[in-house]
Amino acid sequence: MSDVKKNDEHMHSPKKAGKRPDWASGLRQLYDSVVEEPLPDSFSDLLSKLDSED
């Protein structure tokens, strides 16, 4: 039972305070690339139609 508690504590403790995990920069780059993509014309048209119905 004590082994379970040790593993649980290890999983929730930060490795180093303030240091991002290695995968965080890749995830940030992916997010930024999606945000920078242009809005498709069909989606823009749909938004225009929804706005005009108000």
Side-chain angles (χ1 to χ4, degrees), residues 39-46:
L39 192 63
D41 291 336
S42 59
F43 194 74
S44 181
D45 293 342
L46 177 60

Side-chain angles (χ1 to χ4, degrees), residues 39 43-54:
L39 192 63
F43 194 74
S44 181
D45 293 342
L46 177 60
L47 289 174
S48 295
K49 288 177 184 179
L50 291 171
D51 283 342
S52 67
E53 291 179 7
D54 289 342

Side-chain angles (χ1 to χ4, degrees), residues 18-47:
K19 185 177 185 301
R20 290 184 175 174
D22 294 335
W23 51 264
S25 62
L27 186 58
R28 171 58 69 181
Q29 288 176 343
L30 176 63
Y31 174 81
D32 288 342
S33 70
V34 170
V35 168
E36 292 174 3
E37 288 183 12
L39 192 63
D41 291 336
S42 59
F43 194 74
S44 181
D45 293 342
L46 177 60
L47 289 174

